[in-house]
Amino acid sequence: MLAITYGKTAESRAAWPGLAALMILLLVLAGPALAQSAPRQRESINSGWRFTLGDPAGETADLRYDVRPAYDDAGDGKDADARPEEAAKVRRDGSGVLKPWILPTANPFIKDPAKRHVAPKGNPGGDVAYVQPGFDDSGWTRVDLPHDWAIAGPFLAEGPYGGMGRLKSWGVGWYRRALDIPASDKGKSIFLDVDGAMSYATVWLNGQIIGGWPYGYNSWRVDLTQHIIPGGRNVLAIRLDNPPASARWYPGGGLYRDIWLTRAQPVRVAQWGSAVTTQDVSKASATVKVALAIDNTGSQATSVSAVTEIFALDAAGRRKGRAVARIDHVPGDAPAGGSVSLQGEAVVSQPRLWGPPPTQSPNLYLAVSTIRHGGRISDVYETRFGIRDVRFDAAQGLVVNGEKLRIQGVNNHHDLGALGAAFNRRAAQRQLEILRDMGVNAVRMSHNPPAPGLLDLTDEMGFLVMDEVFDSWELKKTPLDFHLIFPEWREADLRSMIRRDRNHPSVILWSVGNEVGEQYSGEAGASLTRELVTIAKDEDPSRLTTLAMNFAKADMPMPREAEVISLNYQGAGIRGIIGQYPAFHAAFPDKVILSSESASALSSRGEYLFPVAGAISGPVRPYSGGDPVTHQVSAYEMHAADFGSSPDRVFASDDQHPYVAGEFVWTGFDYLGEPTPYYTSRSSYSGIIDLAGFPKDRFWLYQARWRPDLRFAHILPHWTWPGREGQVTPVHVFSSADEAELFVNGVSQGKIKKRDYEYRFRWDYVTYLPGEVRVETWKQGKPWAQASVATTGAAAALSLKPDRAAIAGDGRDLSFVTLSVVDAKGDMVRPAKNPVRFTIEGPGEIVATDNGDPTDMTAFPSHQRNAFNGLALVIVRGLAGQSGKVIVRAQADGLAPASAVITVGKP
């Protein structure tokens, strides 16, 4: 479907600012013929691709981006905080690789013209069969994007692949698609816009190499104009070459984000060429500044003018009424083949401010910029933004619109569990909804630029974002990671991320690196930090910059270059080294300090291991937090990675250092790969929420901390322990109450009042007897909340509950259906691990199943899945273009079956 914007004449704006909106509606209803006359069209080309793995049989052309170093050890399973290493030395003579033809794609993001690249003559790869327009790809797999070629599995049971999720994401993949370019597009500029491709992408059009981009997480553009044949046959071929040993987590593989075709006039707003900033923000008024970068790829210089109108958006993202402000930009002259910047500003009265719930609202605006030259409209460009005032203060921390806010954040990797790296808006929205329920108000993008659609969601839902670009610089963490391309691509990758994301009000910080090895290199590392910070400030002076440090100390050179001090684990102490907050605060009294990674606590949902340690925090060890046979980690939520801490210990450190602005917990969700401490598993143990989206007990510990006014009490463990009768089975309770009394079968186990720096109630010597455990709590002397858990009967039935009973039939919308194993009374049997079979009827399909068990090696597309501690998940998608009732059924031997109905609506 085309996303179309239309221009407005000066006369129509004067007569009625809303007239353009009516024109848009009329033209869209009129159909494709009139749509072609729009000055700018952005068309999704996600459908209709063909895909295959591997290069053509017998192909001898060298299609590598560059020569890669050989390696013996991928480093799988080494400590996550291990010191990065020197890059391997590789002999390169610059010949026989595609890099010289790819580098020019970076030119728009290289500030110094002398450093920009010129592609050599020639057309490498032009003779390869797969790039030829006439090649018959009908035998290839038909796919729609976003597409992750590795997520279907199977999992790799053997070998050193745990770090990358035991899924074969590495290798070469090809995608082909025909483009519909009508003859009426002659004279237009036509671009391929890629939100993300994993990785080392090379693009050919009609057999001609066009460009590409090596970094798999950034968005990028190639210009197709010179080689497009309007009215003729046009075929795109995209080759990806995803390296092994290139990540510490699951990267995915393929065209895993959205792809667009953009048509525009030769005089137009440049790629991400609108920059909106707000100043002097108050409830009474705000100054909105809009800078427009205008490209002129025509053959003649021209005078360019622009008008920007600002509209308020409602909760559904629709314009509300007339424009609230108008900016008449200062005109400028755009040279042939050059650019010009047009500046302007206006005051918005009584602005609807953007801010994070629950105390603020994520209000949004739309800037509609109309570009004119030669007496006609040449472009209309829309920019969504928010009006907000964000300040970092060394004493108060983060202040948004005058309100001091503590950062209650999590880190998240980019995969969406059983869906893999392929971005899906509903899946990402579901994650954010679950996090919000816990009390999260901030997300750190770990450790790479996110999908643009994720930032759209954080804008709409009001999450604060630390946007991060690199996990490594020149020193390596894995043999084939980003360090191989950092020297030549760092400026382009950093500028492109910031230019793309700078108008998102949710973004409050730029992070230029995570735990980089240059922490260890003294002044040299500080110099490189300074270079990256300078680039970030040049692109966006309105935000502060930071980088996450897990080694650098307050007396070292690198922290001097950070505008915000971000510490990974060092605040609560790391590997026996005492907490570093006081030292950093003393060295940098004028800088904000925050914990960019905290805790790294580990657990498996519903797995309670005995005996239970008396200490509140400790590393996972055999039979002390971890089971070396089952590879599960205790859910008592007191164990962590060797460099980490339990939540309780982090809370105490934060409370003892009130100048700390807050924390980003490692991690919000379990993610594929990096399965510390058991690298034979498929996924991590660090999430507060498991891979399927089911909360672990830790969820309620954070909820008690971050939503202290929420009345609840959460008891752990469950109380169904056949064979443990008479044995000590500690009971812990998570609640924001300050006093609690526990009862087992009506007998009090004692009343406890929290002391300073205590965040849970614990009765460590309870003897297990079947029956009921009940807790009563008080806060400030008044009754607060009650809760109970009881011994359940044998598993008797299944239950299915969709998170949404109605979804769109657009081929992308999803319903996440929770399966529970229940007893005869309908209570969930928490130890249950029954094998379950799923079927579906109607206009929908089962995309994947999961259960949150990090050791489960059943491929995600399987329709059979063991319940894990009472739960499993079925992900259902409505078929594109269809509607009707979908029935999901679940069966298990010896249990009553279950079904759920989902309505698939017209797209």
Side-chain angles (χ1 to χ4, degrees):
M1 174 179 248
L2 285 175
I4 305 173
T5 52
Y6 293 85
K8 300 180 282 288
T9 65
E11 293 78 16
S12 72
R13 285 194 303 271
W16 180 30
L19 179 60
L22 179 61
M23 291 173 61
I24 290 173
L25 177 61
L26 292 175
L27 286 171
V28 169
L29 293 175
L34 280 177
Q36 294 302 324
S37 66
R40 174 184 292 263
Q41 299 115 34
R42 187 171 188 247
E43 174 189 2
S44 169
I45 55 170
N46 281 342
S47 63
W49 289 83
R50 295 285 180 171
F51 165 74
T52 192
L53 282 171
D55 287 324
E59 182 58 58
T60 59
D62 191 346
L63 300 177
R64 295 174 298 170
Y65 169 81
D66 201 357
V67 178
R68 292 174 182 162
Y71 64 93
D72 296 323
D73 182 7
D76 194 63
K78 70 180 180 182
D79 291 339
D81 64 336
R83 178 173 176 168
E85 302 169 350
E86 292 287 342
K89 304 299 181 183
V90 179
R91 286 190 62 181
R92 297 182 175 93
D93 60 11
S95 62
V97 295
L98 301 183
K99 180 169 68 172
W101 286 267
I102 305 298
L103 283 169
T105 311
N107 284 344
F109 307 99
I110 299 175
K111 189 171 185 179
D112 183 353
K115 295 181 179 179
R116 293 173 187 160
H117 308 280
V118 177
K121 294 182 179 179
N123 183 31
D127 295 330
V128 175
Y130 289 175
V131 311
Q132 302 302 315
F135 174 77
D136 181 7
D137 58 21
S138 61
W140 291 15
T141 304
R142 188 192 182 284
V143 298
D144 291 335
L145 308 183
H147 175 240
D148 178 353
W149 74 47
I151 193 60
F155 287 99
L156 303 170
E158 303 295 332
Y161 305 124
M164 292 177 68
R166 300 209 161 275
L167 290 165
K168 193 178 183 300
S169 57
W170 52 92
V172 170
W174 284 86
Y175 292 83
R176 283 172 52 93
R177 189 190 193 277
L179 300 178
D180 180 16
I181 309 295
S184 58
D185 278 346
K186 186 176 181 179
K188 294 182 179 179
S189 297
I190 300 178
F191 304 96
L192 180 73
D193 289 330
V194 179
D195 283 355
M198 189 65 69
S199 58
Y200 289 90
T202 306
V203 179
W204 288 265
L205 175 68
N206 299 330
Q208 177 66 45
I209 191 168
I210 302 297
W213 202 279
Y215 191 30
Y217 292 104
N218 254 337
S219 301
W220 47 275
R221 160 180 283 186
V222 289
D223 189 346
L224 306 179
T225 308
Q226 283 189 318
H227 301 284
I228 280 283
I229 307 171
R233 178 170 171 77
N234 294 276
V235 177
L236 276 173
I238 303 177
R239 181 184 186 268
L240 305 179
D241 186 5
N242 211 21
S246 60
R248 297 183 296 128
W249 56 85
Y250 175 71
L255 299 179
Y256 72 113
R257 294 179 183 166
D258 295 319
I259 292 189
W260 311 87
L261 198 67
T262 298
R263 298 170 169 93
Q265 301 297 326
V267 178
R268 62 188 178 272
V269 176
Q271 181 190 19
W272 306 317
S274 170
V276 182
T277 54
T278 56
Q279 295 180 351
D280 304 321
V281 175
S282 70
K283 293 182 179 179
S285 66
T287 299
V288 178
K289 295 187 174 184
V290 179
L292 298 171
I294 309 298
D295 284 347
N296 175 15
T297 53
S299 58
Q300 295 182 341
T302 186
S303 178
V304 183
S305 64
V307 171
T308 296
E309 292 178 306
I310 298 173
F311 297 86
L313 298 179
D314 64 18
R318 298 174 300 228
R319 299 186 195 183
K320 294 179 61 175
R322 300 184 178 188
V324 299
R326 169 185 167 122
I327 298 172
D328 290 292
H329 295 260
V330 177
D333 295 324
S339 302
V340 64
S341 179
L342 305 183
Q343 310 287 330
E345 64 180 68
V347 174
V348 174
S349 299
Q350 297 180 318
R352 300 162 63 250
L353 302 184
W354 184 97
T359 57
Q360 302 186 41
S361 299
N363 300 304
L364 293 169
Y365 286 86
L366 186 72
V368 181
S369 301
T370 303
I371 315 303
R372 299 176 68 91
H373 81 100
R376 64 186 179 87
I377 294 172
S378 64
D379 198 7
V380 177
Y381 192 88
E382 297 188 347
T383 307
R384 198 172 72 164
F385 70 99
I387 298 175
R388 85 285 192 275
D389 178 67
V390 173
R391 292 186 296 109
F392 284 92
D393 181 271
Q396 296 188 79
L398 175 66
V399 181
V400 179
N401 300 325
E403 179 186 3
K404 177 183 176 181
L405 294 175
R406 187 161 188 83
I407 295 174
Q408 299 176 173
V410 297
N411 290 267
N412 263 359
H413 272 305
H414 74 303
D415 76 70
L416 294 168
L419 300 175
F423 181 75
N424 179 278
R425 177 181 168 90
R426 173 54 200 159
Q429 182 185 48
R430 173 183 178 249
Q431 286 195 343
L432 292 174
E433 288 170 349
I434 295 169
L435 292 172
R436 164 148 299 155
D437 185 41
M438 186 170 65
V440 170
N441 64 9
V443 180
R444 176 178 175 227
M445 302 301 174
S446 312
H447 305 288
N448 41 258
L454 181 54
L455 291 181
D456 289 342
L457 284 168
T458 56
D459 288 348
E460 294 163 14
M461 299 175 72
F463 285 87
L464 307 167
V465 170
M466 180 192 290
D467 209 353
E468 190 160 74
V469 64
F470 303 133
D471 185 49
S472 58
W473 292 349
E474 293 180 330
L475 300 177
K476 65 180 181 180
K477 295 181 179 178
T478 61
L480 302 180
D481 65 19
F482 181 76
H483 81 279
L484 296 176
I485 52 178
F486 180 84
E488 292 169 309
W489 283 87
R490 61 179 180 257
E491 181 184 1
D493 275 310
L494 179 53
R495 287 188 187 276
S496 66
M497 181 193 80
I498 293 176
R499 208 170 293 178
R500 185 195 74 173
D501 296 348
R502 62 190 171 186
N503 295 317
H504 288 280
S506 56
V507 176
I508 61 170
L509 270 176
W510 304 118
S511 172
V512 298
N514 171 67
E515 297 184 355
V516 295
E518 286 73 7
Q519 292 175 98
Y520 300 81
S521 60
E523 289 294 343
S527 176
L528 192 47
T529 307
R530 186 162 52 251
E531 175 194 329
L532 296 173
V533 169
T534 300
I535 292 171
K537 299 300 287 185
D538 184 54
E539 283 292 326
D540 177 26
S542 72
R543 291 177 178 86
L544 297 183
T545 60
T546 190
L547 75 164
M549 297 173 287
N550 67 324
F551 172 79
K553 303 301 183 290
D555 59 351
M556 293 181 179
M558 181 175 281
R560 296 198 306 259
E561 309 301 330
E563 295 180 290
V564 170
I565 301 295
S566 294
L567 302 179
N568 287 4
Y569 310 108
Q570 295 195 74
I574 182 170
R575 292 187 179 274
I577 300 174
I578 63 171
Q580 295 295 299
Y581 286 148
F584 276 95
H585 189 53
F588 304 103
D590 297 327
K591 290 187 178 183
V592 167
I593 299 173
L594 60 83
S595 181
S596 39
E597 287 182 28
S598 66
S600 196
L602 307 175
S603 63
S604 304
R605 176 184 53 79
E607 292 286 315
Y608 305 96
L609 306 183
F610 304 97
V612 176
I616 200 62
S617 182
V620 176
R621 293 292 183 266
Y623 306 107
S624 179
D627 188 324
V629 177
T630 65
H631 289 182
Q632 303 293 357
V633 180
S634 179
Y636 272 94
E637 310 295 11
M638 298 189 301
H639 293 86
D642 284 21
F643 51 83
S645 306
S646 68
D648 313 60
R649 182 175 167 187
V650 172
F651 296 162
S653 178
D654 288 347
D655 286 345
Q656 291 163 13
H657 305 99
Y659 50 81
V660 175
E663 64 175 313
F664 291 91
V665 180
W666 192 266
T667 53
F669 281 74
D670 278 343
Y671 55 95
L672 290 166
E674 206 172 21
T676 303
Y678 301 117
Y679 268 71
T680 57
S681 296
R682 64 172 195 186
S683 53
S684 76
Y685 297 78
S686 59
I688 303 170
I689 301 146
D690 74 18
L691 197 71
F694 301 135
K696 303 178 185 178
D697 291 280
R698 217 181 318 153
F699 178 96
W700 288 276
L701 185 57
Y702 281 100
Q703 192 177 63
R705 171 77 168 179
W706 288 344
R707 298 183 64 185
D709 296 331
L710 187 64
R711 290 176 175 266
F712 76 91
H714 176 76
I715 302 172
L716 66 143
H718 61 76
W719 209 241
T720 304
W721 295 101
R724 284 196 64 82
E725 290 81 1
Q727 297 185 46
V728 171
T729 306
V731 175
H732 292 192
V733 172
F734 300 153
S735 175
S736 60
D738 52 38
E739 192 171 11
E741 185 172 10
L742 189 76
F743 300 87
V744 176
N745 295 329
V747 178
S748 175
Q749 306 297 301
K751 198 171 188 179
I752 295 175
K753 191 173 183 66
K754 285 180 185 172
R755 297 173 295 183
D756 290 344
Y757 310 122
E758 288 185 343
Y759 305 93
R760 67 175 76 195
F761 300 100
R762 53 189 298 175
W763 291 264
D764 284 338
Y765 299 101
V766 174
T767 299
Y768 174 69
L769 293 172
E772 181 191 60
V773 174
R774 180 172 58 87
V775 68
E776 296 180 4
T777 65
W778 296 264
K779 193 170 186 177
Q780 298 178 350
K782 297 181 180 179
W784 184 248
Q786 298 183 7
S788 64
V789 296
T791 305
T792 57
L798 303 176
S799 170
L800 287 174
K801 183 179 181 181
D803 71 332
R804 295 158 76 231
I807 60 176
D810 59 3
R812 298 189 71 168
D813 201 7
L814 302 171
S815 181
F816 291 81
V817 184
T818 297
L819 174 129
S820 302
V821 180
V822 298
D823 65 9
K825 295 180 179 179
D827 295 327
M828 189 171 86
V829 182
R830 297 188 181 273
K833 294 182 170 63
N834 303 67
V836 182
R837 303 178 299 279
F838 300 100
T839 57
I840 190 168
E841 301 172 14
E845 60 183 338
I846 294 175
V847 182
T849 62
D850 194 14
N851 56 16
D853 179 0
T855 70
D856 188 347
M857 297 298 170
T858 306
F860 287 127
S862 174
H863 290 197
Q864 299 189 36
R865 179 76 53 181
N866 290 348
F868 180 60
N869 293 323
L871 296 173
L873 179 74
V874 189
I875 305 174
V876 174
R877 176 169 57 206
L879 296 179
Q882 299 190 33
S883 61
K885 299 289 186 183
V886 167
I887 302 175
V888 183
R889 303 184 190 278
Q891 294 179 304
D893 292 346
L895 306 182
S899 64
V901 177
I902 301 166
T903 300
V904 176
K906 294 182 179 180

